[in-house]
Amino acid sequence: MKNVNYVINGVLAVAVIILFIMQFSGKQGVLPSSGHSATASDDFTASMPVAYIDIDTLVEKYYFSIDLREQILKKQEDMRAVISQQARKLQADYESFQYKLKNGAFATQQRAEQEQERLQKQNQELEDLDQRLSMNLIEETRQVHMQLRDTIISYLNEYNRDKNFQIIFSNTSNFDLVTPNPVLLANKPYNITNEVVEYLNKRWTAPR
């Protein structure tokens, strides 16, 4: 299902570009004379500059992204260290229990059962801790991705004040890392959602 969404987003992005090309290719004499004949390509480039960003490369080289990734890796290593330490201790206790049980070191059967129950409880607690830490790490990773996305979008708007790109796309296969939307930035006049909804509603015929 996720791959289908990527394909749909990609098709929509291409369709938007084609629509803009068709729109601006049909307009002549929009640009002032600059000493040479204006072409449809000139009109399109001047009227609606478009750019794209490879998010994979950006995330790999952006210092803030590198710092965030190292923070997550450090937390993951710390989590694994805690779980491994407790797992080793539990394994040692279990081996000790097996040795005592085999050699009749427990005074009564009840004492052996109590020790076995204690080890089983510790094992369950360790599994719960592993799951809880893993879920916390997943949530922290999600928060980091949101922080990275918000920072990129904010700085992208700042960067675009001088560049004046009308639309900036994401050209990457790694949509989930920063944003599931292939359009990172777009000027509001190019949002034709309401017009399309109105057109589709006019074309829609209620089932009889």
Side-chain angles (χ1 to χ4, degrees), residues 39-160:
T39 64
S41 177
D42 292 333
D43 288 346
F44 176 73
T45 302
S47 301
M48 199 203 73
V50 174
Y52 74 85
I53 296 174
D54 188 320
I55 294 296
D56 291 331
T57 302
L58 184 150
V59 168
E60 179 183 354
K61 296 183 177 181
Y62 181 25
Y63 294 149
F64 182 52
S65 172
I66 294 172
D67 288 344
L68 292 177
R69 184 165 62 247
E70 289 178 349
Q71 291 177 23
I72 291 297
L73 289 175
K74 178 65 166 56
K75 290 181 179 180
Q76 185 178 29
E77 291 173 357
D78 292 343
M79 183 192 77
R80 288 297 99 197
V82 170
I83 296 299
S84 296
Q85 180 182 13
Q86 296 193 23
R88 286 193 298 269
K89 182 179 183 305
L90 180 60
Q91 179 64 27
D93 290 346
Y94 180 75
E95 291 175 356
S96 175
F97 167 75
Q98 292 283 38
Y99 178 82
K100 292 178 180 179
L101 187 64
K102 181 179 179 180
N103 291 276
F106 290 105
T108 63
Q109 179 66 25
Q110 182 182 10
R111 180 68 186 88
E113 292 176 353
Q114 290 175 345
E115 180 64 11
Q116 184 178 25
E117 290 177 358
R118 184 185 71 82
L119 293 175
Q120 290 175 343
K121 181 180 179 181
Q122 285 188 350
N123 182 69
Q124 183 61 52
E125 290 175 348
L126 182 58
E127 291 180 358
D128 293 342
L129 176 63
D130 187 18
Q131 183 177 7
R132 185 168 64 255
L133 292 178
S134 296
M135 294 300 297
N136 289 342
L137 185 63
I138 291 174
E139 176 60 22
E140 288 187 34
T141 303
R142 189 184 70 84
Q143 293 292 337
V144 163
H145 288 172
M146 291 177 59
Q147 183 182 4
L148 179 60
R149 178 199 62 199
D150 292 344
T151 301
I152 291 174
I153 297 301
S154 176
Y155 287 155
L156 195 57
N157 279 279
E158 180 180 314
Y159 166 85
N160 198 46

Side-chain angles (χ1 to χ4, degrees), residues 171-185:
N171 180 30
T172 180
S173 60
N174 199 357
F175 288 107
D176 279 346
L177 188 56
V178 176
T179 172
N181 192 340
V183 178
L184 298 176
L185 181 150

